Amino acid sequence: MEQQEVKKVIFSGIQPSGDLTIGNYLGALKNWVKLQGEYDCYYCIVDLHAITVKQIPKDLRRRTFEVLAIYIAAGIDPEKNTLFIQSHVPAHSELAWNLNCNTYMGELSRMTQYKDKSKRYGNNIAAGLFNYPALMAADILLYQADLVPVGADQKQHLELTRDLAERFNNAYSPTFKIPEPYIPKAGAKIMDLQDPTKKMSKSSDNPNSYILIMDTPDVIRKKISRAVTDSIGIVKYSDEQLGVKNLMTILNVITGKTFDEIEKYYQGKGYAEFKKDVGDAIINELEPIQKKVKELLDDKKSLEEIYKKGAEKANYVANKTLRKVQKKIGFIPIK
Ligand code: TRP
């Protein structure tokens, strides 16, 4: 009989804290799709993370559904993967509390994302924003994940996750798998269209700095035509021309054309034509996804079934890890 190989576990998540951008799609979702055959993937909508900053309830609800629909429309098969909503699995909050009790203030203070975000919120920084990396660690450790696909901005949180896992394993006995970051080979980091030194972010204050997955063709064309370039006027993949480089990256991940091919093709042509083609490529890529998202959102019942099934599987696996942890730290189980 053929021996069933145990697949490695992957965990990743996106916050429903803003509408998703093509950065989320090209940088994360497109890669997640590629992993689904080879790995046992848990793709979560991390709503507990989203409330570390203020959320309007009806928007949070709408976006949570929308992120799930986008996962599926992007090609993540709910039959092959576990798709679920974080707050449906109470073990995340429970393990996060435990990890918080074993995380040092100093460690959390060093997180650069916290330092950046707390600058934005001035005097109203929620304790949850500070503690958030312990929750992220809980997400990952509950599923004994081997690999975590994340962008460079999350690597520090993953390092902390590894430290916390080792700390627990050493203090008690081996309990958690130590996860590795998974940086995809063709990792596309899409930058802010107005400031290409920064990563494209759904929480930017300037809508011209990002393209949303659900943006209409008109809006996409406008935003691309307004994207910051330079006065050099040559389509070239270079660190001297970060705006152009970013648009080339977008074209490259969507069309598969190499940077060389793109440079040659646009020789002697201006940015206007180049930008028009980038806009068209995005519009074509997003069109079928947008259509599918709308269909799915019109059929809430089927989305509900999907997240319910996902929650059942996730709860089962997560609770197994949580029970072990509780037993080891001396909590008394209900007989
Ligand atoms: N912190 C991640 C972000 O803001 C989202 C996230 C939460 C996550 N939990 C996770 C990513 C676990 C990977 C694994 O992008």
Side-chain angles (χ1 to χ4, degrees), residues 48 85-96 142 315 318-319 322:
L48 298 175
I85 297 169
Q86 191 183 24
S87 62
H88 290 170
V89 184
H92 289 250
S93 309
E94 295 179 55
L95 182 61
L142 279 172
N315 267 302
N319 283 334
L322 183 67

Side-chain angles (χ1 to χ4, degrees), residues 11-13 15 46 49 132 136 139-140 148 150 154:
F11 186 99
S12 202
Q15 301 194 33
V46 289
H49 283 269
Y132 148 133
M136 178 161 163
D139 299 343
I140 296 165
V148 183
V150 282
Q154 296 296 321

Side-chain angles (χ1 to χ4, degrees), residues 184-204:
K185 279 168 231 124
K189 186 171 172 193
I190 308 300
M191 310 304 282
D192 185 302
L193 297 177
Q194 294 300 314
D195 176 2
T197 61
K198 289 194 315 212
K199 182 175 157 176
M200 184 181 283
S201 164
K202 56 184 176 308
S203 41
S204 163

Side-chain angles (χ1 to χ4, degrees), residues 36-50:
Q36 63 187 351
E38 201 177 331
Y39 298 97
D40 182 12
C41 303
Y42 292 80
Y43 294 131
C44 186
I45 298 154
V46 289
D47 55 353
L48 298 175
H49 283 269

Side-chain angles (χ1 to χ4, degrees), residues 175-243:
T175 309
F176 296 124
K177 171 89 58 67
I178 312 294
E180 304 272 346
Y182 181 85
I183 312 290
K185 279 168 231 124
K189 186 171 172 193
I190 308 300
M191 310 304 282
D192 185 302
L193 297 177
Q194 294 300 314
D195 176 2
T197 61
K198 289 194 315 212
K199 182 175 157 176
M200 184 181 283
S201 164
K202 56 184 176 308
S203 41
S204 163
D205 296 327
N206 180 357
N208 280 322
S209 62
Y210 52 72
I211 289 177
L212 300 178
I213 295 178
M214 298 307 285
D215 270 346
T216 61
D218 270 0
V219 170
I220 294 173
R221 273 192 207 102
K222 244 185 238 132
K223 287 181 177 175
I224 290 292
S225 75
R226 285 177 191 154
V228 166
T229 49
D230 51 66
S231 55
I232 299 174
I234 298 167
V235 176
K236 188 160 176 272
Y237 191 78
S238 141
D239 285 338
E240 315 275 280
Q241 297 173 254
L242 290 178

Side-chain angles (χ1 to χ4, degrees), residues 4 6 45 52 87 116 131 170 203 210 225 262 267 313:
Q4 186 101 40
V6 181
I45 298 154
T52 53
S87 62
D116 290 347
N131 289 318
N170 290 336
S203 41
Y210 52 72
S225 75
I262 298 172
Q267 242 168 36
K313 164 102 192 281

